[in-house]
Amino acid sequence: MQTQQQGSLPDPQTAAVISVFAGYSPPVGSYDELFAAPQQMRSHWKRFAAAINRVGNEEMLRRWTQAKRLIHENGVTYGAYGDPLDKPRPWELDALPLIIPQKEWGNLSAGLQQRAKVLELTLADLYGPKKLIRDGVLPPEIIFAHPGFHTTLHNLKPSMGRYLHSYAADLGRAPDGGWWLLADRTEAPSGAGYALENRVVESRMLPEGFRACNVQRLAPYFRALRETCRRIATRHKDNPRIVLLSQGPSSENYFEDAYLSRYLGYTLVEGADLAVRDRCVWLKTLGGLYPVDVILRRPNTVDCDSLELPSSSPGAIAGLVDAAAAGNVAITNPLGCGLVESPIFMAYIGALCKTLLGEDLKLSSVATWWCGDAVGREYVLANLDRLVIKRAFRQRGHERQVTEHLKQLPNDQLAERIKARPSEFVGQERVVRSTMPNWGGGNVSAAYLAMRAYMIASGDSFEVMHGGLARTSTELGSLEMSLVSGEGSKDIWIQGKEPPQHDSLFQGRHEPVKLRRSGDDLPSRVADDIYWLGRQVERADSAARLLRAVTMRLTSESASHLRSELPMLLRTMADQGQIEPGFVVEGIRQQLPAIEENLPISTFDATASGSLRSMLAATYSTASRVRDRLSADSWRVLVRIDEQFRAPATGTWDLTDLLNMSNELIVDLVAFIGMMSESMTRTQAFHFMDLGLRIERATQTTSLLNNCFSVGQEITGEMLEALLQVCDSLMTYRYRYLSNLNEVPVLDLLLTDETNPRSVVYQLLRIKDHVDRLPRTESQPTSSEQRMLLSALYAVRMLDIEAIGENHSEDRRRELVEVFEKLEQHLPQLSQAITNKYMVHAGPSRLLTSIDQVRMSKP
């Protein structure tokens, strides 16, 4: 490189290249998105390069680190089809976006709109008159050999006559700079939610570049989606009930489902939440059945109806096809529209366009030859080394494995398979996709690129998203089968000439809206999950406080074997399942060394149902099923808890480390409980969450009191202090009674004080308030759960705490213990009664562990 003359200024473009893209060298033979020639930046990148050059590498790295942290805290994950671990993996977003000029995007959009029209008209014909087959445009095998063609859907007229509401296309750029269409996505196109999350993160990370490039907004696409869903409703058109049908937390796209349902304002449901009655679809809620007008579906067609379709999914909705045929529910996309995703259609797309629209294709497809045609078969067999062999008919979720298997076969075996069943195979041209730099924290490297563009039906045409989802891979071949195979992702910026006007998904409308204060449309499954979320988070909080109290005493200056409160605390830990019951036997003091050694290990043992680590895992798992009901801040706290409260991977650690981690965990759990309490509107979701929390807190406090005040046990000041500490009431006691520890005021504060939010009676009153608000028939003014609560409240309120303290008799102590035992029986029974009444149809029964099992087994 030549030395700059003194006083001269470097060329801004060259400076940007040196600063940001230093060391980047695109592979030979591919179109590079950034450079037209070595160190010659394409014109539409210059504004972005100049903007981030001013930011600098150090600041870029700081922002990129923050962006990765935000993605992690938001829980953005994806599990690809065929993942051998069947485990969601973190979403990888690169700092550098893909930038496309507005003029180029306009031309590409026109080609995509044309293709969507062709495919929609093709679907209308194949599920109707089949003129394309009669006229010889398409071979009969295209439907009669297609496993995705279901005769039960024949002549099933979709709402508003639209056979395609949502469409996505996978694209790659050819070496000459033109775009190739690699695959059509018409069944239930995924990825729009990830594109939106990428945009949110990227625009915050690089606002200077975002403004400099006049990046077009994504909101018009999502607004068109909402409008389309509203327009296709056949009933209640003014305010239709729209649900987003998900495959559940086990789905690879569950993050996106929860994200979109929250963003669009639609109720997130699973198949078990819906039922068909009288050819109508209903949402099963605590308040009864509510009619559903529109289903924005995510499952494949075959997983939607267990009666009419060959479904093996437990979430299939029996009778859905019949309800759609009756016109009582609109489904987007309509059932069966995934038919035209299959590669065989790409061999005929040019002829279809000419026949249906009288036009030539504006957007080239990757060249495809169907082996069922003699000419196509001959070409494929003669060029096996140059082509990618695929199944002609797409099997969603399996095509990647099948294509990879075919790729591994020797040519002679592959040829034999094709000759044996020629109609089942196609050959496609190998795609040499474009490249662009991955920033990767400052280590710039080349990545191959593919892109998914999204369209939504709007009027007589389609609204194209001004952006999309770009996926990258380090190897050329990994994206040949599917875009989901990518290793990383990029935001796509459509660069405008002028700054875009402010746009938002929610724009004011002049129609009047009926005001609402609360809703009773909570699905029973969600009520079940959110009830158990309340129980599990409180159980974890109680276990953490108990663990902290024990650990503090094991690490204190005083000798552990001299502490009178330890046996009581350890018995309670054994009840919870945190330690083995074998430790809590006579002669416990001789076992303290073993307890000290094993406590850190047992705490983090995820395989033990009563360990604190397993409690937190259960909490995280349950929360993931109701993500659409949790605020972003609440979810971030749970992510931090799940991430941080784990056994250190390396190095030595002991009880002191466990004590510090317990302190941090309690702070995070309190933060989560506080957010849920202060941020949730007082709807049924809140009542069930807080109901679970209060039942669990009453259960745990009762267990602790019972272990402390058991008959025949001497009660010491240290035991009372430990009791107050675990129940988070030590400060209140000291404020009221100074340093005088006595069992009467301790019992009063923790058992019968209605002003103490940690007392048992306070929990019972809150539980009663929630139970009184649960739906019930007018013919049953007093429910069984209300009667249980009244009995428990009566037993606690009738206790004469002062008399128990004054007499110190075994009979008085036994009277107290009998109340504790009554509570330990009534609380699990109350929980079971609520479950049976409101949530038993939500799914299989949950496993009751440790302390619950003990209580339920008592006579």
Side-chain angles (χ1 to χ4, degrees):
M1 183 181 295
Q2 294 181 348
T3 305
Q4 293 271 350
Q5 292 184 0
Q6 188 174 6
S8 64
L9 295 175
D11 174 63
Q13 176 182 330
T14 304
V17 170
I18 293 172
S19 176
V20 180
F21 304 110
Y24 174 64
S25 179
V28 178
S30 296
Y31 179 96
D32 190 69
E33 300 289 341
L34 177 65
F35 290 145
Q39 300 297 295
Q40 182 181 341
M41 185 177 291
R42 298 187 187 278
S43 59
H44 60 277
W45 277 89
K46 293 180 180 179
R47 280 185 281 171
F48 174 79
I52 63 172
N53 186 47
R54 289 191 292 270
V55 172
N57 277 328
E58 185 176 343
E59 176 64 10
M60 275 277 289
L61 180 59
R62 187 188 69 82
R63 295 184 185 182
W64 184 72
T65 302
Q66 289 181 337
K68 289 182 66 178
R69 181 66 188 176
L70 178 62
I71 290 174
H72 175 72
E73 289 178 346
N74 286 348
V76 186
T77 57
Y78 182 81
Y81 282 131
D83 187 336
L85 298 178
D86 193 24
K87 180 180 179 181
R89 61 186 186 221
W91 186 252
E92 298 292 339
L93 173 63
D94 188 64
L96 299 179
L98 169 63
I99 301 176
I100 301 175
Q102 191 172 30
K103 182 178 180 181
E104 180 184 357
W105 187 253
N107 294 333
L108 183 58
S109 296
L112 292 170
Q113 289 168 326
Q114 181 198 55
R115 192 177 188 96
K117 290 179 184 178
V118 170
L119 294 177
E120 183 171 31
L121 291 173
T122 301
L123 284 168
D125 178 78
L126 294 181
Y127 282 112
K130 299 180 179 58
K131 190 172 184 297
L132 292 170
I133 293 177
R134 291 204 308 269
D135 293 348
V137 180
L138 293 176
E141 293 91 336
I142 209 161
I143 59 169
F144 296 119
H146 200 311
F149 180 76
H150 306 287
T151 56
T152 189
L153 303 177
H154 181 64
N155 284 330
L156 182 66
K157 302 296 183 184
S159 178
M160 302 294 292
R162 297 300 301 258
Y163 280 82
L164 201 60
H165 302 126
S166 176
Y167 168 67
D170 291 348
L171 303 161
R173 198 193 286 272
D176 64 359
W179 287 97
W180 283 339
L181 193 138
L182 309 179
D184 298 293
R185 298 292 178 245
T186 57
E187 178 73 79
S190 62
Y194 292 101
L196 180 59
E197 174 70 6
N198 283 357
R199 173 60 54 85
V200 170
V201 174
E202 190 79 23
S203 61
R204 291 175 182 173
M205 178 185 171
L206 297 173
E208 302 90 348
F210 193 80
R211 289 192 295 268
C213 291
N214 297 327
V215 180
Q216 303 300 295
R217 304 294 193 255
L218 303 183
Y221 168 85
F222 292 100
R223 191 166 58 250
L225 172 59
R226 281 170 54 94
E227 183 59 29
T228 294
C229 289
R230 189 187 67 83
R231 193 176 63 251
I232 64 175
T234 57
R235 304 175 303 165
H236 311 110
K237 284 184 172 292
D238 292 337
N239 190 23
R241 185 179 302 277
I242 304 170
V243 299
L244 193 154
L245 177 60
S246 170
Q247 292 174 286
S250 60
S251 166
E252 64 277 355
N253 289 319
Y254 186 69
F255 163 80
E256 181 181 19
D257 296 346
Y259 188 85
L260 285 178
S261 70
R262 221 170 24 236
Y263 182 69
L264 297 170
Y266 297 158
T267 302
L268 182 66
V269 301
E270 299 174 26
D273 298 328
L274 303 178
V276 175
R277 302 284 188 274
D278 299 324
R279 305 185 78 186
C280 295
V281 178
W282 301 84
L283 175 64
K284 297 184 288 187
T285 76
L286 300 176
L289 297 177
Y290 283 77
V292 173
D293 301 297
V294 180
I295 298 175
L296 178 58
R297 73 174 174 95
R298 306 288 283 173
N300 299 330
T301 294
V302 294
D303 294 325
C304 287
D305 191 333
S306 55
L307 288 180
E308 303 285 356
L309 299 167
S311 174
S312 60
S313 171
I317 308 161
L320 181 60
V321 170
D322 189 42
N328 294 327
V329 67
I331 304 173
T332 176
N333 273 342
L335 297 175
C337 63
L339 182 76
V340 293
E341 284 187 345
S342 291
I344 187 174
F345 284 90
M346 298 187 71
Y348 295 94
I349 190 67
L352 288 170
C353 186
K354 198 73 174 176
T355 301
L356 296 171
L357 297 181
E359 302 170 356
D360 292 328
L361 273 178
K362 298 177 182 179
L363 178 62
S364 299
S365 298
V366 60
T368 304
W369 295 268
W370 179 50
C371 295
D373 174 73
V375 176
R377 180 169 63 254
E378 182 179 349
Y379 181 85
V380 170
L381 291 174
N383 295 275
L384 288 176
D385 289 329
R386 298 178 50 248
L387 302 176
V388 177
I389 307 303
K390 296 183 179 180
R391 293 291 299 268
F393 308 110
R394 189 181 185 210
Q395 294 175 284
R396 289 177 65 89
H398 303 285
E399 68 274 10
R400 183 184 178 193
Q401 298 96 309
V402 172
T403 304
E404 286 285 3
H405 174 68
L406 295 173
K407 186 179 178 180
Q408 302 301 323
L409 292 177
N411 282 354
D412 57 341
Q413 294 184 25
L414 186 57
E416 288 301 318
R417 288 203 178 191
I418 293 173
K419 291 175 184 178
R421 297 179 178 272
S423 63
E424 294 183 2
F425 298 95
V426 298
Q428 286 190 336
E429 183 180 0
R430 292 186 183 275
V431 178
V432 181
R433 296 184 310 281
S434 61
T435 57
M436 72 167 292
N438 263 353
W439 190 72
N443 300 316
V444 181
S445 60
Y448 292 97
L449 188 76
M451 176 178 71
R452 180 168 290 181
Y454 298 90
M455 281 141 283
I456 193 72
S458 180
D460 296 331
S461 186
F462 289 83
E463 172 87 22
V464 181
M465 178 191 289
H466 295 298
L469 179 64
R471 298 303 304 272
T472 59
S473 63
T474 55
E475 297 180 1
L476 183 58
S478 63
L479 291 175
E480 284 178 344
M481 276 65 76
S482 174
L483 195 71
V484 303
S485 306
E487 302 158 6
S489 70
K490 288 179 177 290
D491 190 15
I492 299 176
W493 290 5
I494 308 305
Q495 186 182 71
K497 295 181 179 179
E498 301 291 337
Q501 294 182 350
H502 173 73
D503 206 347
S504 172
L505 173 66
F506 300 98
Q507 292 189 342
R509 295 174 60 186
H510 299 293
E511 294 88 343
V513 176
K514 185 178 180 180
L515 298 179
R516 301 175 66 186
R517 284 291 181 267
S518 63
D520 55 357
D521 57 350
L522 184 71
S524 301
R525 174 191 55 82
V526 177
D528 182 60
D529 283 331
I530 209 159
Y531 167 79
W532 277 97
L533 176 60
R535 288 205 65 173
Q536 287 164 342
V537 73
E538 177 60 29
R539 181 173 299 188
D541 180 72
S542 176
R545 292 177 186 277
L546 187 59
L547 175 66
R548 179 174 65 178
V550 170
T551 309
M552 285 175 64
R553 284 154 179 81
L554 292 176
T555 56
S556 69
E557 295 179 357
S558 302
S560 299
H561 66 278
L562 299 178
R563 304 199 69 108
S564 61
E565 71 272 28
L566 262 177
M568 179 267 293
L569 295 174
L570 291 171
R571 278 197 302 272
T572 310
M573 289 190 76
D575 280 348
Q576 290 184 346
Q578 289 200 70
I579 59 174
E580 291 293 333
F583 285 126
V584 189
V585 295
E586 192 164 341
I588 188 174
R589 306 194 190 286
Q590 284 71 39
Q591 301 209 36
L592 283 177
I595 293 175
E596 293 176 5
E597 180 181 352
N598 287 282
L599 188 57
I601 299 173
S602 60
T603 297
F604 294 105
D605 185 1
T607 63
S609 61
S611 73
L612 185 50
R613 177 59 243 171
S614 69
M615 293 180 194
L616 295 173
T619 303
Y620 185 86
S621 176
T622 303
S624 69
R625 293 193 288 272
V626 288
R627 281 202 58 176
D628 57 313
R629 304 279 171 165
L630 303 180
S631 68
D633 291 332
S634 299
W635 180 255
R636 290 191 189 103
V637 174
L638 282 178
V639 170
R640 184 168 67 244
I641 290 172
D642 185 67
E643 179 185 67
Q644 294 184 355
F645 197 82
R646 294 178 180 271
T650 58
T652 59
W653 49 289
D654 54 22
L655 288 174
T656 302
D657 298 313
L658 185 58
L659 177 60
N660 293 332
M661 294 177 71
S662 300
N663 283 326
E664 294 175 3
L665 174 62
I666 291 168
V667 170
D668 284 339
L669 288 170
V670 170
F672 178 78
I673 293 171
M675 286 180 185
M676 298 290 284
S677 177
E678 295 301 319
S679 300
M680 292 183 71
T681 52
R682 273 29 183 181
T683 59
Q684 288 178 345
F686 170 79
H687 291 306
F688 274 93
M689 188 279 298
D690 202 53
L691 181 61
L693 187 149
R694 299 299 167 182
I695 288 178
E696 189 63 35
R697 184 173 293 177
T699 298
Q700 300 295 343
T701 305
T702 301
S703 174
L704 191 59
L705 289 169
N706 198 9
N707 276 306
C708 181
F709 290 94
S710 58
V711 176
Q713 177 171 267
E714 180 184 358
I715 300 174
T716 66
E718 290 82 4
M719 292 173 64
L720 296 175
E721 182 179 3
L723 197 61
L724 291 167
Q725 183 184 43
V726 174
C727 295
D728 197 24
S729 298
L730 188 57
M731 285 294 296
T732 303
Y733 187 91
R734 286 176 176 171
Y735 178 77
R736 289 183 184 178
Y737 306 105
L738 302 180
S739 59
N740 184 19
L741 276 171
N742 185 278
E743 61 184 270
V744 172
V746 170
L747 267 176
D748 175 61
L749 183 61
L750 298 182
L751 184 61
T752 57
D753 185 351
E754 297 183 6
T755 67
N756 180 15
R758 290 279 172 175
S759 74
V760 173
V761 74
Y762 184 91
Q763 313 314 314
L764 295 176
L765 291 171
R766 290 294 298 270
I767 294 169
K768 181 180 182 301
D769 180 58
H770 292 309
V771 168
D772 288 345
R773 295 172 183 267
L774 296 181
R776 63 178 185 273
T777 60
E778 294 182 0
S779 60
Q780 188 186 26
T782 304
S783 64
S784 60
E785 50 270 23
Q786 286 176 310
R787 289 193 293 272
M788 287 184 198
L789 273 172
L790 290 174
S791 175
L793 270 169
Y794 178 80
V796 174
R797 283 173 163 170
M798 288 302 293
L799 274 174
D800 190 341
I801 300 295
E802 292 186 356
I804 292 173
E806 290 173 358
N807 294 334
H808 296 287
S809 67
E810 290 297 316
D811 289 340
R812 286 292 190 180
R813 181 75 63 82
R814 190 170 289 108
E815 177 186 349
L816 179 65
V817 171
E818 286 175 357
V819 171
F820 293 149
E821 291 178 347
K822 182 175 184 179
L823 289 172
E824 287 186 331
Q825 289 182 19
H826 274 33
L827 288 168
Q829 290 170 359
L830 173 64
S831 177
Q832 194 65 41
I834 292 171
T835 299
N836 290 339
K837 186 169 185 178
Y838 297 100
M839 299 170 285
V840 71
H841 62 281
S845 300
R846 295 176 183 267
L847 177 64
L848 295 174
T849 59
S850 60
I851 196 168
D852 281 325
Q853 291 175 329
V854 173
R855 294 190 186 98
M856 291 299 288
S857 64
K858 287 185 179 180

